[in-house]
Amino acid sequence: MAESLFIPYLLEEEMEPQRIETFLRFCFADLDCSRSPPENERTNDFGYTTEETDGIRYGGSIDEAVDSVTRQAGGTVWLWYDDLNVGIHIDSRSAEGPNVPRLTLSINEWYVKPWRNNRPNPIHDFVLELYDYLSPIYVYGETYLDDAPLSTEGIEAGHLEEVYWVNGFGPNMTTQIGRERLLHAPTWRIDDCEDGGVFLWESPLPLSDGRQRNDDALRAYLGLNPNSTN
């Protein structure tokens, strides 16, 4: 795995075409996502791809991207959230990890370097905004440093099997693990979500100094074995 950051949202149900369209419209209309970064008209980083396209199509309109992904009930759109360039991958299943419906964010390695520690907010804000909208079972963030030994059975039962740079527990997993237990975890940041879920962040960014220390402390607190690959 490259140094890019991948953040899967594990969902309760498949995203049907109408829900895909509504979600993408929400990103552009409500979250002010755009085809280009702030104060710049470049659109070379805006593109989309689906099973019907011959590779990535660049420079199209927002409507073209939304319509294509909706029509194919899946695909990828690369867009801007403030000055964060992010890919939104909508697919029903994955060959790796739990066999449950998912939506995955991909963020280029440039945004996760330690020298970006003073400006991690666009990633955090976008991750939390999508959590509130999608109501996923679980959200996690992985880079080339991480392994993902999550099981379909564990996710569906709400069991804690692993921790990552970011861990967004939906209400069911929060209840299974223990809400107060999560809210008092030894980690860099904790978000208490309105739906009863809890987010644990190990550090400002995945490659930040201090992540390993916080990862070790969090694993010990939650009773997980140390991760030799982390």
Side-chain angles (χ1 to χ4, degrees), residues 40-67:
N40 193 323
E41 295 302 319
R42 285 190 304 115
T43 59
N44 57 304
D45 287 323
F46 176 78
Y48 66 93
T49 183
T50 68
E51 290 185 357
E52 72 178 357
T53 62
D54 182 17
I56 301 172
R57 292 188 179 177
Y58 292 104
S61 69
I62 289 173
D63 285 340
E64 288 171 351
V66 172
D67 290 347

Side-chain angles (χ1 to χ4, degrees), residues 176-206:
Q176 292 293 326
I177 298 167
R179 182 176 179 76
E180 289 302 313
R181 185 184 181 198
L182 292 175
L183 289 176
H184 292 88
T187 195
W188 174 73
R189 168 175 165 172
I190 299 174
D191 286 298
D192 187 359
C193 302
E194 291 186 2
D195 68 350
V198 174
F199 265 76
L200 304 182
W201 310 77
E202 292 186 339
S203 58
L205 293 170

